[in-house]
Amino acid sequence: MAEIRSVYMTFPDLDSAASVARHLVDERLAACVNLLPRGVSVYRWEGQVNTEEEVVAFAKTTADRVDALVTRVKELHTYEVPCVVALPVTGGLPAFLAWVAAETRPE
């Protein structure tokens, strides 16, 4: 079975998050992307602490598609340095994990 990854990302708004999500799924870089609006991030950027509302996204993909997914997000994202972090999936419903692998297989 393919190694599955969950990729955590943040976006400034729902429109940009949905646009990137659609590209990732259309291009088979992710099987699906969950969008969780109204997250709040507190972070330091250019010497200042900021608090911003953001959309959190989780993409499901395979380990061998992560690099292409990260590259595509960087191309599409509005942030200079977007948050894109791949996390290993160490278990789950086998049928779901197989579906993720099938949906991210290049055509």
Side-chain angles (χ1 to χ4, degrees):
M1 169 140 331
E3 292 183 43
I4 305 301
R5 298 291 184 265
S6 180
V7 181
Y8 169 79
M9 303 170 285
T10 59
F11 294 88
D13 55 60
L14 188 55
D15 288 342
S16 63
S19 175
V20 171
R22 183 68 182 211
H23 281 282
L24 296 179
V25 173
D26 282 346
E27 297 168 22
R28 293 188 168 275
L29 296 172
C32 73
V33 181
N34 300 112
L35 303 178
L36 309 171
R38 301 193 54 98
V40 176
S41 293
V42 179
Y43 61 96
R44 183 179 304 278
W45 182 254
E46 296 180 343
Q48 289 193 298
V49 175
N50 301 282
T51 302
E52 301 285 340
E53 194 169 280
E54 293 185 300
V55 174
V56 173
F58 286 96
K60 276 65 113 203
T61 192
T62 55
D64 64 340
R65 301 295 276 161
V66 168
D67 289 343
L69 183 149
V70 169
T71 297
R72 190 66 170 127
V73 171
K74 177 64 176 143
E75 292 169 356
L76 297 168
H77 210 292
T78 59
Y79 290 166
E80 182 181 338
V81 181
C83 171
V84 185
V85 180
L87 307 167
V89 173
T90 60
L93 182 68
F96 178 79
L97 302 177
W99 173 79
V100 170
E103 291 304 314
T104 56
R105 207 171 290 126
E107 291 184 292

